[in-house]
Amino acid sequence: MPDTPRKPAAADPQEPSLDEQIAAYQREFRDLDPQVEQVVSALGRLNRRMNVAYGRQVAYLGISNAEWEVLKTLVLAGSPYRLGPGELAKRLGLTPAAMTHRIDRMAAEGLVTRDRDENNRVRVIVELTDEGRTQWLEAMRMATDFEEELLQDLSGDERGVLGELLIRLLRRVEDAQPDAGGRLKDLEP
């Protein structure tokens, strides 16, 4: 049986289309550049929807987005996949108390271990377990499938151009807001 075209997913009935949103913004704020608004609004919606998709994937694996972030951070640290809780908290933009709570849950689930540093008994080391690495790898497999499907309509050249353009935008934001990678102190409740 030949592949049939897929129907586009129904939009959230509570959320206007991008065109409707831009038209409403232009009605209320005449100085709006519709091209700029189309780009940033599309990026915002894409980001939200991708986060939902990734959240569903890790939930299917029995882990939370918050736990996924810790697993990812430990993997990014490189083998042997270990960091101190303070360094983890810093990299994730969390308070030490929030990090401790997250590590407690993950240790109970067998995703990480928490042990004293043999060279400095005051220092604690959080290390990825085999189970944590297995969960990370499965989440990566699922994410890779989702991302390939997401970009299936773009050629290799188009993917390259899109990637370069997005990196340019990211650099602009990072230059203007260098502390925006973690939680901002001025935005904390």
Side-chain angles (χ1 to χ4, degrees):
M1 180 174 196
D3 288 339
T4 55
R6 291 170 40 189
K7 292 181 181 179
D12 182 344
Q14 304 300 316
E15 186 174 46
S17 71
L18 280 179
D19 290 340
E20 292 168 334
Q21 177 181 325
I22 293 166
Y25 286 176
Q26 283 182 297
R27 182 183 67 238
E28 301 298 326
F29 183 69
R30 299 211 183 275
D31 293 337
L32 181 82
D33 181 333
Q35 286 181 316
V36 170
E37 190 58 36
Q38 181 183 40
V39 169
V40 296
S41 293
L43 284 172
R45 286 186 187 199
L46 179 60
N47 182 55
R48 282 196 320 271
R49 284 164 175 78
M50 288 177 70
N51 283 335
V52 168
Y54 292 136
R56 287 180 179 148
Q57 290 174 347
V58 296
Y60 175 79
L61 297 173
I63 60 177
S64 69
N65 278 336
E67 291 168 332
W68 160 252
E69 290 297 326
V70 174
L71 297 177
K72 177 177 74 172
T73 302
L74 289 169
V75 168
L76 289 173
S79 184
Y81 315 116
R82 49 175 30 185
L83 290 169
E87 182 62 24
L88 268 171
K90 181 179 175 185
R91 291 182 186 199
L92 292 170
L94 297 172
T95 64
M99 191 74 252
T100 298
H101 180 67
R102 195 171 293 181
I103 292 168
D104 288 345
R105 277 195 332 261
M106 293 180 73
E109 294 168 3
L111 300 172
V112 299
T113 59
R114 177 181 37 213
D115 294 306
R116 296 270 175 217
D117 185 339
E118 293 175 8
N119 299 320
N120 178 350
R121 300 299 295 164
V122 174
R123 186 170 186 253
V124 172
I125 298 292
V126 178
E127 185 171 344
L128 190 65
T129 63
D130 289 341
E131 176 61 21
R133 182 153 169 76
T134 297
Q135 293 287 44
W136 178 81
L137 285 169
E138 186 56 29
M140 288 299 294
R141 282 186 197 95
M142 294 170 77
T144 298
D145 291 345
F146 167 70
E147 292 157 358
E148 283 294 326
E149 184 178 331
L150 175 70
L151 297 174
Q152 70 182 344
D153 296 330
L154 300 180
S155 70
D157 288 344
E158 289 171 323
R159 290 177 184 194
V161 169
L162 178 60
E164 288 172 15
L165 293 172
L166 291 172
I167 288 170
R168 281 174 46 195
L169 293 175
L170 178 60
R171 285 186 182 134
R172 172 77 61 177
V173 170
E174 288 174 342
D175 288 346
Q177 304 285 329
D179 61 346
R183 185 164 182 148
L184 297 175
K185 297 289 183 212
D186 58 336
L187 296 180
E188 289 182 5

mmCIF file of all heavy atoms in Angstrom, residues 78-105:
data_model
loop_
_atom_site.group_PDB
_atom_site.id
_atom_site.type_symbol
_atom_site.label_atom_id
_atom_site.label_comp_id
_atom_site.label_asym_id
_atom_site.label_seq_id
_atom_site.Cartn_x
_atom_site.Cartn_y
_atom_site.Cartn_z
ATOM 1 N N GLY A 78 31.584 13.659 30.337
ATOM 2 C CA GLY A 78 32.516 12.664 29.821
ATOM 3 C C GLY A 78 32.787 11.564 30.832
ATOM 4 O O GLY A 78 32.529 11.706 32.030
ATOM 5 N N SER A 79 33.332 10.493 30.312
ATOM 6 C CA SER A 79 33.642 9.343 31.151
ATOM 7 C C SER A 79 34.629 9.767 32.239
ATOM 8 O O SER A 79 35.556 10.511 31.960
ATOM 9 C CB SER A 79 34.237 8.237 30.282
ATOM 10 O OG SER A 79 34.465 7.086 31.037
ATOM 11 N N PRO A 80 34.391 9.402 33.460
ATOM 12 C CA PRO A 80 33.502 8.384 33.998
ATOM 13 C C PRO A 80 32.117 8.914 34.386
ATOM 14 O O PRO A 80 31.449 8.304 35.223
ATOM 15 C CB PRO A 80 34.258 7.872 35.212
ATOM 16 C CG PRO A 80 34.989 9.067 35.713
ATOM 17 C CD PRO A 80 35.343 9.858 34.483
ATOM 18 N N TYR A 81 31.655 10.003 33.794
ATOM 19 C CA TYR A 81 30.296 10.526 33.992
ATOM 20 C C TYR A 81 30.013 10.854 35.455
ATOM 21 O O TYR A 81 29.075 10.353 36.054
ATOM 22 C CB TYR A 81 29.246 9.546 33.445
ATOM 23 C CG TYR A 81 29.592 9.004 32.090
ATOM 24 C CD1 TYR A 81 29.833 7.647 31.905
ATOM 25 C CD2 TYR A 81 29.696 9.854 30.994
ATOM 26 C CE1 TYR A 81 30.165 7.145 30.652
ATOM 27 C CE2 TYR A 81 30.029 9.353 29.736
ATOM 28 C CZ TYR A 81 30.261 8.010 29.573
ATOM 29 O OH TYR A 81 30.591 7.519 28.343
ATOM 30 N N ARG A 82 30.838 11.736 35.994
ATOM 31 C CA ARG A 82 30.670 12.107 37.402
ATOM 32 C C ARG A 82 30.964 13.577 37.593
ATOM 33 O O ARG A 82 31.830 14.150 36.933
ATOM 34 C CB ARG A 82 31.562 11.258 38.294
ATOM 35 C CG ARG A 82 32.980 11.214 37.784
ATOM 36 C CD ARG A 82 34.023 10.517 38.582
ATOM 37 N NE ARG A 82 33.692 9.405 39.406
ATOM 38 C CZ ARG A 82 34.548 8.814 40.195
ATOM 39 N NH1 ARG A 82 35.779 9.244 40.274
ATOM 40 N NH2 ARG A 82 34.208 7.807 40.935
ATOM 41 N N LEU A 83 30.225 14.173 38.511
ATOM 42 C CA LEU A 83 30.396 15.568 38.906
ATOM 43 C C LEU A 83 29.988 15.707 40.359
ATOM 44 O O LEU A 83 29.221 14.896 40.877
ATOM 45 C CB LEU A 83 29.509 16.500 38.062
ATOM 46 C CG LEU A 83 29.866 16.698 36.588
ATOM 47 C CD1 LEU A 83 28.735 17.419 35.870
ATOM 48 C CD2 LEU A 83 31.167 17.460 36.447
ATOM 49 N N GLY A 84 30.442 16.774 40.978
ATOM 50 C CA GLY A 84 29.962 17.103 42.308
ATOM 51 C C GLY A 84 28.575 17.719 42.214
ATOM 52 O O GLY A 84 28.205 18.288 41.184
ATOM 53 N N PRO A 85 27.792 17.613 43.273
ATOM 54 C CA PRO A 85 26.441 18.178 43.250
ATOM 55 C C PRO A 85 26.440 19.687 42.997
ATOM 56 O O PRO A 85 25.551 20.204 42.311
ATOM 57 C CB PRO A 85 25.869 17.861 44.627
ATOM 58 C CG PRO A 85 26.834 16.984 45.297
ATOM 59 C CD PRO A 85 28.092 16.934 44.517
ATOM 60 N N GLY A 86 27.439 20.398 43.526
ATOM 61 C CA GLY A 86 27.514 21.841 43.294
ATOM 62 C C GLY A 86 27.735 22.171 41.835
ATOM 63 O O GLY A 86 27.117 23.100 41.290
ATOM 64 N N GLU A 87 28.602 21.419 41.173
ATOM 65 C CA GLU A 87 28.855 21.627 39.746
ATOM 66 C C GLU A 87 27.620 21.264 38.924
ATOM 67 O O GLU A 87 27.272 21.965 37.971
ATOM 68 C CB GLU A 87 30.065 20.818 39.289
ATOM 69 C CG GLU A 87 30.417 21.019 37.838
ATOM 70 C CD GLU A 87 30.804 22.445 37.467
ATOM 71 O OE1 GLU A 87 31.247 23.222 38.334
ATOM 72 O OE2 GLU A 87 30.665 22.788 36.270
ATOM 73 N N LEU A 88 26.952 20.187 39.287
ATOM 74 C CA LEU A 88 25.698 19.829 38.612
ATOM 75 C C LEU A 88 24.673 20.947 38.751
ATOM 76 O O LEU A 88 24.034 21.335 37.771
ATOM 77 C CB LEU A 88 25.118 18.545 39.208
ATOM 78 C CG LEU A 88 25.495 17.229 38.573
ATOM 79 C CD1 LEU A 88 25.019 16.066 39.428
ATOM 80 C CD2 LEU A 88 24.956 17.123 37.168
ATOM 81 N N ALA A 89 24.514 21.445 39.973
ATOM 82 C CA ALA A 89 23.548 22.522 40.215
ATOM 83 C C ALA A 89 23.880 23.747 39.376
ATOM 84 O O ALA A 89 22.998 24.360 38.761
ATOM 85 C CB ALA A 89 23.517 22.882 41.703
ATOM 86 N N LYS A 90 25.151 24.089 39.323
ATOM 87 C CA LYS A 90 25.580 25.253 38.552
ATOM 88 C C LYS A 90 25.277 25.073 37.068
ATOM 89 O O LYS A 90 24.736 25.955 36.411
ATOM 90 C CB LYS A 90 27.073 25.484 38.770
ATOM 91 C CG LYS A 90 27.632 26.679 38.049
ATOM 92 C CD LYS A 90 29.119 26.838 38.362
ATOM 93 C CE LYS A 90 29.717 27.970 37.553
ATOM 94 N NZ LYS A 90 31.157 28.066 37.760
ATOM 95 N N ARG A 91 25.629 23.912 36.538
ATOM 96 C CA ARG A 91 25.406 23.652 35.115
ATOM 97 C C ARG A 91 23.928 23.624 34.752
ATOM 98 O O ARG A 91 23.556 23.934 33.625
ATOM 99 C CB ARG A 91 26.072 22.343 34.707
ATOM 100 C CG ARG A 91 27.590 22.423 34.732
ATOM 101 C CD ARG A 91 28.219 21.135 34.272
ATOM 102 N NE ARG A 91 29.668 21.188 34.440
ATOM 103 C CZ ARG A 91 30.501 20.389 33.806
ATOM 104 N NH1 ARG A 91 30.049 19.467 32.971
ATOM 105 N NH2 ARG A 91 31.800 20.489 34.010
ATOM 106 N N LEU A 92 23.085 23.229 35.700
ATOM 107 C CA LEU A 92 21.649 23.147 35.437
ATOM 108 C C LEU A 92 20.898 24.397 35.876
ATOM 109 O O LEU A 92 19.689 24.486 35.678
ATOM 110 C CB LEU A 92 21.059 21.909 36.119
ATOM 111 C CG LEU A 92 21.523 20.577 35.530
ATOM 112 C CD1 LEU A 92 21.087 19.418 36.404
ATOM 113 C CD2 LEU A 92 21.015 20.421 34.113
ATOM 114 N N GLY A 93 21.596 25.344 36.485
ATOM 115 C CA GLY A 93 20.934 26.557 36.942
ATOM 116 C C GLY A 93 19.988 26.317 38.103
ATOM 117 O O GLY A 93 18.932 26.936 38.190
ATOM 118 N N LEU A 94 20.366 25.402 38.994
ATOM 119 C CA LEU A 94 19.525 25.054 40.139
ATOM 120 C C LEU A 94 20.163 25.499 41.441
ATOM 121 O O LEU A 94 21.382 25.683 41.510
ATOM 122 C CB LEU A 94 19.326 23.531 40.200
ATOM 123 C CG LEU A 94 18.603 22.885 39.036
ATOM 124 C CD1 LEU A 94 18.670 21.369 39.169
ATOM 125 C CD2 LEU A 94 17.158 23.356 38.976
ATOM 126 N N THR A 95 19.346 25.604 42.459
ATOM 127 C CA THR A 95 19.873 25.852 43.795
ATOM 128 C C THR A 95 20.449 24.540 44.320
ATOM 129 O O THR A 95 20.028 23.451 43.888
ATOM 130 C CB THR A 95 18.767 26.329 44.760
ATOM 131 O OG1 THR A 95 17.808 25.263 44.912
ATOM 132 C CG2 THR A 95 18.085 27.594 44.248
ATOM 133 N N PRO A 96 21.386 24.607 45.266
ATOM 134 C CA PRO A 96 21.915 23.363 45.849
ATOM 135 C C PRO A 96 20.825 22.491 46.459
ATOM 136 O O PRO A 96 20.860 21.262 46.320
ATOM 137 C CB PRO A 96 22.905 23.856 46.906
ATOM 138 C CG PRO A 96 23.357 25.201 46.390
ATOM 139 C CD PRO A 96 22.131 25.789 45.734
ATOM 140 N N ALA A 97 19.837 23.102 47.107
ATOM 141 C CA ALA A 97 18.757 22.323 47.721
ATOM 142 C C ALA A 97 17.947 21.580 46.661
ATOM 143 O O ALA A 97 17.605 20.397 46.831
ATOM 144 C CB ALA A 97 17.843 23.228 48.535
ATOM 145 N N ALA A 98 17.635 22.243 45.564
ATOM 146 C CA ALA A 98 16.886 21.591 44.485
ATOM 147 C C ALA A 98 17.704 20.447 43.882
ATOM 148 O O ALA A 98 17.166 19.386 43.558
ATOM 149 C CB ALA A 98 16.501 22.602 43.412
ATOM 150 N N MET A 99 19.002 20.665 43.761
ATOM 151 C CA MET A 99 19.868 19.633 43.202
ATOM 152 C C MET A 99 19.918 18.428 44.132
ATOM 153 O O MET A 99 19.843 17.280 43.672
ATOM 154 C CB MET A 99 21.274 20.202 42.983
ATOM 155 C CG MET A 99 22.174 19.303 42.178
ATOM 156 S SD MET A 99 21.738 19.298 40.425
ATOM 157 C CE MET A 99 21.012 17.681 40.260
ATOM 158 N N THR A 100 20.033 18.668 45.426
ATOM 159 C CA THR A 100 20.066 17.575 46.404
ATOM 160 C C THR A 100 18.793 16.738 46.310
ATOM 161 O O THR A 100 18.846 15.504 46.294
ATOM 162 C CB THR A 100 20.239 18.129 47.829
ATOM 163 O OG1 THR A 100 21.500 18.809 47.891
ATOM 164 C CG2 THR A 100 20.185 17.025 48.874
ATOM 165 N N HIS A 101 17.647 17.395 46.214
ATOM 166 C CA HIS A 101 16.367 16.695 46.115
ATOM 167 C C HIS A 101 16.336 15.832 44.845
ATOM 168 O O HIS A 101 15.921 14.669 44.876
ATOM 169 C CB HIS A 101 15.224 17.710 46.127
ATOM 170 C CG HIS A 101 13.877 17.100 46.023
ATOM 171 N ND1 HIS A 101 13.332 16.318 47.010
ATOM 172 C CD2 HIS A 101 12.961 17.139 45.019
ATOM 173 C CE1 HIS A 101 12.133 15.907 46.634
ATOM 174 N NE2 HIS A 101 11.884 16.385 45.419
ATOM 175 N N ARG A 102 16.804 16.389 43.749
ATOM 176 C CA ARG A 102 16.813 15.665 42.471
ATOM 177 C C ARG A 102 17.754 14.458 42.556
ATOM 178 O O ARG A 102 17.414 13.363 42.109
ATOM 179 C CB ARG A 102 17.244 16.609 41.346
ATOM 180 C CG ARG A 102 16.946 16.073 39.984
ATOM 181 C CD ARG A 102 17.167 17.096 38.904
ATOM 182 N NE ARG A 102 16.216 18.194 38.992
ATOM 183 C CZ ARG A 102 16.186 19.214 38.150
ATOM 184 N NH1 ARG A 102 17.060 19.277 37.169
ATOM 185 N NH2 ARG A 102 15.305 20.169 38.298
ATOM 186 N N ILE A 103 18.927 14.654 43.127
ATOM 187 C CA ILE A 103 19.896 13.552 43.258
ATOM 188 C C ILE A 103 19.331 12.453 44.163
ATOM 189 O O ILE A 103 19.484 11.264 43.874
ATOM 190 C CB ILE A 103 21.247 14.066 43.788
ATOM 191 C CG1 ILE A 103 21.908 14.962 42.736
ATOM 192 C CG2 ILE A 103 22.164 12.907 44.163
ATOM 193 C CD1 ILE A 103 23.095 15.751 43.266
ATOM 194 N N ASP A 104 18.660 12.840 45.254
ATOM 195 C CA ASP A 104 18.047 11.853 46.148
ATOM 196 C C ASP A 104 17.087 10.943 45.379
ATOM 197 O O ASP A 104 17.129 9.715 45.520
ATOM 198 C CB ASP A 104 17.278 12.538 47.287
ATOM 199 C CG ASP A 104 18.164 13.190 48.323
ATOM 200 O OD1 ASP A 104 19.380 12.895 48.355
ATOM 201 O OD2 ASP A 104 17.640 14.010 49.106
ATOM 202 N N ARG A 105 16.214 11.543 44.575
ATOM 203 C CA ARG A 105 15.250 10.763 43.793
ATOM 204 C C ARG A 105 15.954 9.844 42.806
ATOM 205 O O ARG A 105 15.601 8.672 42.664
ATOM 206 C CB ARG A 105 14.311 11.695 43.011
ATOM 207 C CG ARG A 105 13.144 12.239 43.776
ATOM 208 C CD ARG A 105 12.071 12.854 42.880
ATOM 209 N NE ARG A 105 12.540 13.401 41.626
ATOM 210 C CZ ARG A 105 12.786 14.679 41.378
ATOM 211 N NH1 ARG A 105 12.613 15.576 42.325
ATOM 212 N NH2 ARG A 105 13.196 15.081 40.191
#
